[in-house]
């Protein structure tokens, strides 16, 4: 049998249990005594038994009423706890949000955003996956990540995407390299440079292969996974490399400089990717707002021409993949 018992009826029952007086219980529930009596009658009808014995002086529980007291208290407690819990999620006092990002973003651009989020919503558990593009998308498909920051690719049709940042490229070389004194460099000026490449699976390498003419640069044979390795190879005089702006934090070595490429079409577009047709949780919406806020500032800043960049010495080496 289906019953339709509201929290209000349960609270009226418990008020009468505590007060043992219809007038006092009605006052506690902020209703008239007649309305309160009707509520108790409705509850008893739904229970199929009398829950109270009444006389002119006393209100006492029947045996069935005694059985129902603990059930009613537990039901009211559970309902109130459920709404309090939901209120915590809505206010971002608790929850979980997971973000997947290319390693080059996860190691440099993203941590300040996560730190800001943690300060603002300390009760929300943050998860970060640093992964190449395809793995980022797999994490979204599996529901393990709410948001992904990644590069364009062929597997994005099933997702919602929006621009994050257009990442321009820089030449990184030693201070004694023939191009080190330039303020900006055209792609044609890279001809004859000994190039240290990132692995072909990386988004950086895929963009460069499309932009650099075969034979224009000298391939050193050095093809590595990690930006920190690229930096060490350049510092040792084994060649130069072309990397996106958002990875430059990996090249803060005293002997290196970074010079912007004068190539408006050579940029690495980065995207915010979310599951299509699925709303973000309130916790994830908060993180999305901070990501977009920082991306907006970064895009506004990149509109200004960037001069040749000195790379101050970093405090300690950091490993990061150039993906």
């Amino acid at each position: 049998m289906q019953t339709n018992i509201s929290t209000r009826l349960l609270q009226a029952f418990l008020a009468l249990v505590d007060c043992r007086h219809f007038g006092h219980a009605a006052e506690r529930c902020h209703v008239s005594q007649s309305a309160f009596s009707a509520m108790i009658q409705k509850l008893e009808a739904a229970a199929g038994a009398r829950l109270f014995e009444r006389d002119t002086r006393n209100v006492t529980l029947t045996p069935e009423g005694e059985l129902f007291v603990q059930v009613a208290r537990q039901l009211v407690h559970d309902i109130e706890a459920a709404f309090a819990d939901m209120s915590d999620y809505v206010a971002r006092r608790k929850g979980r949000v997971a973000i997947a990002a290319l390693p080059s973003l996860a190691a440099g651009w993203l941590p300040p955003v996560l730190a800001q989020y943690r300060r603002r919503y300390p009760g929300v558990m943050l998860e970060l996956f640093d992964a190449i593009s395809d793995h980022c998308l797999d994490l979204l498909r599996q529901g393990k990540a709410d948001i992904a920051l990644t590069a364009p690719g062929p597997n994005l049709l099933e997702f919602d995407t929006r621009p994050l940042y257009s990442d321009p490229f820089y030449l990184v070389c030693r201070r004694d390299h023939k191009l080190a004194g330039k303020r900006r460099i055209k792609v044609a000026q890279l001809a004859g440079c000994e190039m240290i490449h990132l692995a072909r699976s990386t988004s950086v390498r895929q963009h460069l292969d499309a932009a650099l003419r075969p034979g224009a640069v000298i391939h050193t044979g050095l093809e590595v996974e990690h930006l920190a390795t690229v930096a060490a190879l350049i510092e040792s005089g084994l060649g130069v490399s072309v990397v996106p702006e958002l990875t430059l934090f990996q090249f803060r070595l005293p002997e290196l400089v970074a010079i912007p490429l004068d190539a408006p079409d050579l940029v690495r577009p980065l995207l915010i990717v979310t599951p299509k047709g699925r709303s973000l949780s309130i916790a994830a919406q908060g993180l999305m707002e901070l990501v977009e806020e920082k991306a907006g500032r970064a895009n506004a800043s990149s509109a200004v021409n960037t001069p040749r960049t000195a790379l101050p010495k970093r405090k300690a080496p950091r490993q990061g993949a150039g993906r």
Side-chain angles (χ1 to χ4, degrees):
M1 180 180 71
Q2 188 174 15
T3 57
N4 184 19
I5 302 299
S6 67
T7 308
R8 194 160 175 259
L9 292 183
L10 294 173
Q11 289 171 333
F13 169 78
L14 293 174
L16 190 53
V17 170
D18 293 340
C19 296
R20 302 299 173 105
H21 187 281
F22 271 81
H24 295 163
E27 196 174 310
R28 180 162 145 183
C29 293
H30 306 291
V31 296
S32 67
Q33 188 165 331
S34 60
F36 185 84
S37 296
M39 292 166 68
I40 296 300
Q41 289 170 6
K42 183 175 181 180
L43 181 64
E44 289 179 326
R50 287 174 61 82
L51 302 176
F52 294 97
E53 299 286 1
R54 297 96 153 162
D55 60 31
T56 55
R57 294 185 177 182
N58 298 309
V59 176
T60 58
L61 286 164
T62 64
E64 291 73 25
E66 294 281 3
L67 290 172
F68 192 61
V69 170
Q70 291 306 315
V71 175
R73 290 197 193 281
Q74 188 63 51
L75 287 171
V76 170
H77 174 271
D78 289 348
I79 291 167
E80 289 176 348
F83 277 94
D85 198 46
M86 182 56 65
S87 178
D88 284 340
Y89 279 102
V90 170
R92 300 187 183 117
R93 289 188 292 268
K94 66 186 338 183
R96 168 197 172 273
V97 58
I99 186 166
L102 296 175
S104 54
L105 286 172
W109 188 89
L110 188 58
V113 177
L114 300 182
Q116 184 181 3
Y117 187 90
R118 175 64 57 81
R119 289 191 298 271
R120 190 173 294 184
Y121 309 115
V124 177
M125 185 176 73
L126 274 171
E127 289 187 69
L128 170 64
F129 301 96
D130 56 341
I132 62 174
S133 293
D134 287 346
H135 190 201
C136 285
L137 300 183
D138 284 340
L139 290 165
L140 283 181
R141 287 189 192 96
Q142 296 163 15
K144 294 180 179 178
D146 303 290
I147 303 165
L149 307 182
T150 185
N155 302 317
L156 290 172
L157 292 179
E158 62 186 285
F159 300 99
D160 287 329
T161 64
R162 65 189 80 178
L164 174 68
Y165 184 68
S166 293
D167 201 8
F169 280 83
Y170 283 67
L171 171 72
V172 179
C173 62
R174 283 175 54 97
R175 292 182 183 278
D176 57 3
H177 191 271
K178 64 181 180 179
L179 296 176
K182 303 289 185 182
R183 288 184 61 81
R184 300 185 74 84
I185 294 176
K186 295 186 180 295
V187 173
Q189 291 176 281
L190 298 175
C193 286
E194 295 182 319
M195 190 67 62
I196 297 166
H197 283 296
L198 284 161
R200 295 176 190 274
S201 60
T202 65
S203 62
V204 173
R205 178 65 181 277
Q206 289 158 12
H207 279 89
L208 286 177
D209 282 351
L212 298 179
R213 285 189 302 107
V217 296
I218 299 170
H219 189 2
T220 61
L222 298 172
E223 200 168 290
V224 297
E225 292 277 350
H226 296 286
L227 289 164
T229 307
V230 177
L233 294 172
I234 299 171
E235 186 184 37
S236 296
L238 292 168
V240 302
S241 194
V242 175
V243 299
E245 180 182 51
L246 294 184
T247 68
L248 290 180
F249 71 96
Q250 289 283 2
F251 297 88
R252 291 175 184 161
L253 296 171
E255 294 304 315
L256 303 187
V257 294
I259 307 140
L261 289 188
D262 188 4
D265 294 333
L266 181 55
V267 295
R268 178 177 68 152
L270 297 171
L271 303 173
I272 303 171
V273 185
T274 53
K276 185 172 287 187
R278 194 171 83 203
S279 298
L280 290 176
S281 68
I282 292 174
Q285 289 172 24
L287 182 57
M288 175 75 88
E289 289 165 7
L290 293 181
V291 166
E292 291 183 320
E293 181 181 310
K294 180 169 183 178
R297 292 195 303 269
N299 283 309
S301 175
S302 70
V304 179
N305 289 333
T306 307
R308 174 178 177 274
T309 302
L311 295 168
K313 186 176 180 180
R314 56 186 170 186
K315 293 180 180 178
R318 298 172 63 185
Q319 289 292 328
R323 311 251 176 126

